[in-house]
Amino acid sequence: MGSTHEPDRTSNPVDVHRTAAERLRHDDQRYTAGRRAIVAALAEAPRPLTIAELLARVPTLAQSSTYRNLAVLEQARIVHRVIGTDEFTRFELTEELAGHHHHLICSSCGDVADFTVDPALEVLLAEAAQQVGADTGFSTAHHRLDLVGTCADCRDAR
């Protein structure tokens, strides 16, 4: 995708791994080398990754165990799925580990890119989410914003 304002990934990788290990231990799971490699790859990625992209970044991972490990990491609230407009599910670290951000989703190629907004706008988004909750009786825990449109590469290809 074209240029975006990528989130500030200020989390210390040691803290990410420590938190991942603690969450897995809480779920009676081990922080295996494969799970550690997945978390490290997602922590270094500038955007959510498909399983194919994850396997390309960490070629020592077996595809079958990657699916199982992602399911365990998702259950332990270490990763979550990002659904785009194509048939590929993408994964990224949860907001607590990666920092608060939003997504640009290309409706043409399906690519997903992270972006952040100015803190003042972020406050307005949070207030709007709370207002919607108040108006509907929905208890809002947090918000995510996905902007769907056409990325610069697809727009330029037209």
Side-chain angles (χ1 to χ4, degrees), residues 5-143:
H5 297 283
E6 292 182 8
D8 179 19
R9 306 248 190 238
T10 57
S11 296
N12 180 340
V14 173
D15 293 339
V16 169
H17 290 293
R18 182 174 39 239
T19 301
E22 289 170 1
R23 288 182 181 183
L24 285 164
R25 192 169 31 257
H26 181 266
D27 282 1
D28 294 323
Q29 296 285 339
R30 293 182 307 120
Y31 196 28
T32 63
R35 292 172 186 164
R36 179 177 279 277
I38 290 169
V39 169
L42 292 175
E44 294 171 1
R47 60 181 176 74
L49 299 177
T50 64
I51 289 178
E53 292 169 332
L54 187 57
L55 292 170
R57 285 177 178 255
V58 189
T60 58
L61 294 173
Q63 185 171 350
S64 59
S65 64
T66 299
Y67 281 99
R68 285 192 303 275
N69 283 328
L70 283 167
V72 169
L73 292 169
E74 188 174 23
Q75 178 67 35
R77 300 170 344 276
I78 297 164
V79 303
H80 74 97
R81 296 169 189 250
V82 177
I83 308 300
T85 58
D86 58 10
E87 69 271 18
F88 300 107
T89 299
R90 288 160 176 81
F91 294 87
E92 67 180 0
L93 295 178
T94 59
E95 184 172 299
E96 298 87 10
L97 297 173
H100 183 72
H101 63 278
H102 305 286
H103 298 111
L104 301 171
I105 302 173
C106 180
S107 58
S108 182
C109 70
D111 198 22
V112 177
D114 292 348
F115 76 98
T116 58
V117 298
D118 181 87
L121 180 55
E122 196 61 61
V123 169
L124 292 174
L125 287 170
E127 289 172 354
Q130 292 291 27
Q131 185 61 52
V132 168
D135 291 348
T136 62
F138 186 81
S139 179
T140 304
H142 60 88
H143 70 272

